[in-house]
Amino acid sequence: MDWKKEIKSWGIILIVFAALYFTGLITPIVGGLQSMMLSTGLIKPKVLLENKENEPFDFSGRLTDMEGNVVNLQDFEGKTIFINLWATWCPPCRAEMPHIAELYKKVSHREDIEFLMIALDDDFQKSKNLIEKKTWSFPVYHASHGLNGALQSQSIPTTLVVSPAGEIVFYQEGMSNFNTREFEEFLLGL
């Protein structure tokens, strides 16, 4: 084994990784790769650390929308609600967002379905910048007032669907491709 060649190879790998990390490019690159894998169906992750399905949803709490308005969760009672907890620094979150954006386009005509994309970044401006850069049209809110127990999660991204009756009917921790015919029919059928 040629140790000089081996050390040189590892040095190049470390330099490339360090450059990506310190320039902030690692998150969008990893997120983009994961999104491509979700699109092709090569990965179909299903991570569930805690199941909150069939539990009543707690409508107490407030969020801040993109314009800075405070919105009460109670305003969404009686509707089907697609909720996604995410952050800009989370590659799996970024990987699933293009698929959520496509699903939103398909069902946004329905007044009885609401999307709450809840940003968990400390700096909401980072979240807004990403959404504007990507030109996604789904509604984004910030958890600036904290999260109630129904929205507490052990990991992100976390996605849940609340029925018009106020019950959590879908709960998933981890990324997924929600832009499928089955999931669209599930939302439209509630």
Side-chain angles (χ1 to χ4, degrees), residues 21-138:
Y21 179 79
F22 289 114
T23 60
L25 293 174
I26 194 91
T27 300
I29 288 172
V30 171
L33 290 172
Q34 289 174 330
S35 182
M36 285 187 333
M37 292 178 75
L38 280 174
S39 294
T40 62
L42 289 174
I43 56 173
K44 295 180 182 180
K46 178 77 171 160
V47 178
L48 188 60
L49 302 175
E50 176 184 5
N51 190 357
K52 294 184 180 182
E53 287 182 12
N54 303 317
E55 290 184 13
F57 182 72
D58 180 2
F59 283 95
S60 66
R62 301 179 306 168
L63 303 168
T64 303
D65 70 12
M66 294 270 283
E67 289 78 38
N69 302 311
V70 176
V71 177
N72 292 314
L73 284 174
Q74 293 171 336
D75 297 343
F76 302 102
E77 281 189 85
K79 295 185 175 190
T80 298
I81 312 167
F82 177 95
I83 301 172
N84 182 270
L85 303 171
W86 66 281
T88 58
W89 48 262
C90 165
C93 300
R94 292 170 73 127
E96 72 179 4
M97 290 183 90
H99 309 286
I100 294 171
E102 289 302 313
L103 174 66
Y104 177 74
K105 286 180 191 175
K106 293 177 183 176
V107 301
S108 63
H109 67 281
R110 293 275 301 261
E111 292 183 16
D112 59 336
I113 298 176
E114 294 285 345
F115 273 58
L116 302 180
M117 299 296 291
I118 303 175
L120 302 178
D121 287 295
D122 289 336
D123 181 5
F124 191 28
Q125 190 59 48
K126 286 182 181 179
S127 309
K128 291 194 267 189
N129 291 345
L130 175 68
I131 298 304
E132 289 167 2
K133 177 182 172 189
K134 299 292 186 177
T135 65
W136 291 322
S137 60
F138 47 64

